[in-house]
C-alpha cells in the first residue's frame, strides 16, 4: 500500500518533469539489477511479470506461466508479445518443416504481427516470497525449489506430468503409459493441473514435464540429443535438464544442434539434419531447471548461439546486428507459478507498459513517444481492455489500491556491449484520442514516494 500524503491529494504535489522515477520504479530497478559477483550473485533477485490475457486468468489450472526478469539476461523481447496476432508472424506460410496459419492483419495499424506493439502486464516484486519458498536465499548455490524453463516451453498447456507410481504420464486430455499407448479421457489434464514447485523438493511439479503432441499420434514429443558421453538434454522422465551440462550450458546448446533427434512418431521435426530450426523448436527441446542461475545461463547461451540454430523463418527476421532487427526473437523464459497467488491483485506491485525492444531504434532514450501513431492507438485499445476487465482502474484516488491506477513503463534497450537491459520508469503521455493519460509525479523533498498513474485524458 502506498502511504504518501501526496497520493491522497495528488493535486497538491504537482508535476515538474515528464519522465523519471518513483519509489516503485526505483525498487523494481534494484530488484532486477545485475549481479556484482558474477551471474545472479550479489545483485537483485529478480521479478516476475505476467500478462493477464492469456486465457488462464480465473481458469481451473493450478499454475500459470510467468516470466522472470533480471538484467543478467542479455536477450531482447523478454516478455511474450501476446496482445495481437501470433509470435510466429510475419512468415511466408512455412516453418521450413510444416505449413503455418495465415497471419491476421490488424485493421488499426495494417501490421500482421505484434512485435512493434507495447505490451501490458503486471509485475510482482514484494510478493515474491509468497511465490518462491525461501526466496530470501534464492541466490544460494543450493537453492532449488521451483521450476524454470529458459525458453518458451508450453509448460501449462502441452506438458505431461510423469507419475512413477502409476508407470505413465498424465497428459492434457488423456493417459500415456510407458509403452506409448494413449487413452483419451476427461480425467487427466497434464502438468498445468499440479501444484507449483520442484517435484524433487516437496513441490507439486506443476508445469514440470515432457512436451506433448496434442495431435495424432498423441504422445511425448520432447526432442532428444545424446552427446558422445551419452548425456541427453534431459536427465529423467520428468524432462528436467541434464545437470551434466551445468558447468557450461553452451554445451547443452551444442548438443542440441549437433545431435537433435525427434521421437520416431514425429520425424517431420528434422531440423539440423535438414536445415536450421524454427523458433518453436525451443518448446520441443525445453527442459526445466530448479533455480534461476542455471536458467539465466542457458537462456543466454541460446541467445548467443542464435545464428547457429535459428532459421529466422518464424517469425521472418534478419538479425543483421542493428538493434531494431534483433527485436523479432523469442527472448522470454517461462516459470509456472501458483495461479491464485500471482493473479491476486494485492500481490501486484504495478501494471506496466513494456516498450518493444529498441522502440527508439536503439537509442539510449527509449520511451513511449517512439511508438508509431498506430502503435499508440493499439496501446489505447489495450488500456480499454484492461480497464473493462477491472485489471486497471483510472484516477489518482485509486493509486493506493490493487487493482488500482498505478501504471509504469519498462524499456528493453541494447547496451554498448550488445547485451539487452531493462529499466522501469514513469512518463507523461496522452493516448491518441485523448481518452487516457499517464501522469508522472516525481519524488521531491516533500514527497518521498512520487507516483505514476492512469488518468482520464479529458477529451
Amino acid at each position: 500500500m502506498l502511504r504518501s500524503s501526496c497520493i491522497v491529494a495528488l493535486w497538491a504535489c504537482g508535476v515538474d518533469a515528464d519522465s523519471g522515477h518513483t519509489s516503485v520504479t526505483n525498487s523494481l530497478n534494484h530488484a532486477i539489477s545485475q549481479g556484482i559477483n558474477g551471474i545472479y550473485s550479489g545483485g537483485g533477485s529478480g521479478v516476475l511479470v505476467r500478462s493477464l490475457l492469456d486465457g488462464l486468468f480465473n481458469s481451473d489450472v493450478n499454475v500459470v506461466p510467468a516470466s522472470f526478469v533480471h538484467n543478467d539476461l542479455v536477450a531482447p523481447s523478454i516478455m511474450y508479445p501476446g496482445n495481437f496476432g501470433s509470435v510466429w508472424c510475419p512468415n511466408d506460410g512455412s516453418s521450413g518443416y510444416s505449413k503455418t496459419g495465415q497471419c491476421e492483419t490488424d485493421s488499426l495499424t495494417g501490421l500482421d504481427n505484434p512485435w512493434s506493439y507495447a505490451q501490458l502486464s503486471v509485475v510482482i516484486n514484494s510478493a515474491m516470497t509468497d511465490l518462491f519458498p525461501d526466496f530470501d536465499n534464492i541466490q544460494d548455490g543450493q537453492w532449488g525449489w521451483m521450476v524454470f524453463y529458459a525458453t518458451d516451453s508450453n509448460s501449462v498447456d502441452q506438458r505431461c506430468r510423469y507419475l512413477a507410481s502409476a508407470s505413465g504420464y498424465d497428459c492434457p486430455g488423456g493417459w500415456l503409459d510407458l509403452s506409448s499407448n494413449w487413452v483419451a479421457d476427461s480425467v487427466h489434464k497434464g502438468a498445468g493441473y499440479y501444484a507449483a514447485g520442484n517435484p524433487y523438493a516437496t513441490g507439486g511439479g506443476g508445469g514440470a514435464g515432457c512436451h506433448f503432441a496434442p495431435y495424432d499420434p498423441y504422445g511425448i514429443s520432447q526432442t532428444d540429443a545424446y552427446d558422445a558421453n551419452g548425456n541427453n538434454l534431459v536427465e529423467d522422465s520428468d524432462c528436467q535438464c541434464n545437470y551434466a551440462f551445468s558447468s557450461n550450458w553452451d554445451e547443452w546448446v551444442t548438443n542440441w544442434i549437433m545431435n537433435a533427434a525427434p521421437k520416431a512418431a514425429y520425424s517431420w521435426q528434422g531440423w539440423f539434419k535438414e536445415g536450421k530450426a524454427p523458433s518453436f523448436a525451443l518448446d520441443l527441446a525445453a527442459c526445466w531447471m530448479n533455480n534461476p542461475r542455471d536458467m539465466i545461463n542457458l537462456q543466454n547461451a541460446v541467445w548467443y548461439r542464435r545464428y547457429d540454430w535459428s532459421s529466422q523463418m518464424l517469425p521472418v527476421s534478419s538479425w543483421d546486428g542493428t538493434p531494431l532487427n534483433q527485436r523479432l526473437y523469442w527472448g522470454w523464459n517461462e516459470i509456472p507459478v501458483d495461479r491464485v497467488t500471482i493473479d491476486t491483485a494485492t500481490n501486484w506491485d504495478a501494471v506496466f507498459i513494456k516498450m518493444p525492444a529498441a522502440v527508439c531504434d536503439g537509442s539510449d532514450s527509449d520511451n513511449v513517444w517512439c511508438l508509431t501513431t498506430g502503435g499508440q492507438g493499439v496501446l489505447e485499445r489495450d488500456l480499454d481492455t484492461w480497464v473493462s476487465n477491472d485489471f486497471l482502474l483510472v484516477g489518482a484516488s485509486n493509486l493506493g489500491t490493487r487493482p488500482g491506477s498505478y501504471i509504469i513503463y519498462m524499456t528493453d534497450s541494447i547496451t554498448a556491449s550488445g547485451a539487452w537491459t531493462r529499466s522501469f520508469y514513469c512518463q507523461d503521455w496522452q493516448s491518441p484520442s485523448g481518452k487516457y493519460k499517464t501522469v508522472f509525479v516525481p519524488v521531491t523533498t516533500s514527497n518521498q514516494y512520487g507516483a505514476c498513474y492512469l488518468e482520464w485524458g479529458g477529451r
Side-chain angles (χ1 to χ4, degrees), residues 141 231-233 235 241-253 289-291 293-298:
N231 294 313
N232 194 5
L233 299 175
E235 68 176 25
C241 292
N242 193 334
Y243 291 102
F245 299 103
S246 63
S247 62
N248 182 3
W249 286 107
D250 179 75
E251 294 179 357
W252 185 99
V253 182
M289 293 127 147
N290 61 27
N291 68 90
R293 183 177 293 106
D294 281 321
M295 181 200 70
I296 290 170
N297 283 323
L298 179 54

Side-chain angles (χ1 to χ4, degrees), residues 125-142:
N125 179 28
S126 55
M128 291 290 273
T129 53
D130 297 323
L131 288 160
F132 294 101
D134 194 27
F135 180 73
D136 290 340
N137 295 307
I138 195 170
Q139 293 189 9
D140 289 357
Q142 300 305 309

Side-chain angles (χ1 to χ4, degrees), residues 188-210:
H188 297 97
K189 298 181 179 181
Y193 286 79
Y194 288 79
N198 178 1
Y200 293 91
T202 73
C210 300

Side-chain angles (χ1 to χ4, degrees), residues 324-341:
L324 185 61
N325 287 339
Q326 294 181 41
R327 179 188 297 168
L328 278 73
Y329 177 78
W330 288 22
W332 52 91
N333 52 50
E334 195 168 315
I335 297 88
V337 294
D338 182 73
R339 175 184 61 81
V340 173
T341 303

Side-chain angles (χ1 to χ4, degrees), residues 53-132:
L53 297 176
D54 59 0
L56 297 174
F57 188 85
N58 281 340
S59 68
D60 61 344
V61 296
N62 278 28
V63 292
V64 291
S67 288
F68 186 82
V69 176
H70 192 278
N71 276 334
D72 280 334
L73 292 165
V74 298
S77 301
I78 48 82
M79 196 176 97
Y80 186 94
N83 60 341
F84 174 82
S86 170
V87 295
W88 291 30
C89 296
N91 63 64
D92 297 327
S94 173
S95 70
Y97 301 89
S98 58
K99 293 182 179 180
T100 63
Q102 184 174 359
C103 294
E104 180 185 359
T105 299
D106 189 338
S107 60
L108 190 59
T109 64
L111 296 176
D112 66 353
N113 67 86
W115 296 96
S116 296
Y117 293 168
Q119 305 292 325
L120 280 168
S121 182
V122 295
V123 57
I124 293 87
N125 179 28
S126 55
M128 291 290 273
T129 53
D130 297 323
L131 288 160
F132 294 101

Side-chain angles (χ1 to χ4, degrees), residues 29 45 65 84 98 198 219 287 339-340 353 393 407 453-454:
N29 286 327
S45 293
F84 174 82
S98 58
N198 178 1
C287 52
R339 175 184 61 81
V340 173
I353 302 167
L393 306 182
I407 190 168
Y453 65 99
L454 185 69

Side-chain angles (χ1 to χ4, degrees), residues 155-201:
S155 64
V156 174
D157 59 339
Q158 281 184 240
R159 292 271 159 177
C160 297
R161 177 80 173 87
Y162 175 63
L163 301 177
S165 60
S167 300
Y169 292 88
D170 179 344
C171 299
W175 178 258
L176 188 73
D177 69 20
L178 298 183
S179 297
S180 298
N181 296 308
W182 170 253
V183 178
D185 60 41
S186 59
V187 176
H188 297 97
K189 298 181 179 181
Y193 286 79
Y194 288 79
N198 178 1
Y200 293 91

Side-chain angles (χ1 to χ4, degrees), residues 10-11 15 393-399 405-408 426-427 437-441 451-456:
L10 272 169
W11 53 87
V15 176
L393 306 182
V394 182
S397 61
N398 293 310
L399 260 169
S405 59
Y406 211 108
I407 190 168
I408 56 179
C426 184
Q427 181 171 11
K437 61 183 178 181
T438 57
V439 179
F440 170 49
V441 180
C452 196
Y453 65 99
L454 185 69
E455 185 58 272
W456 298 115

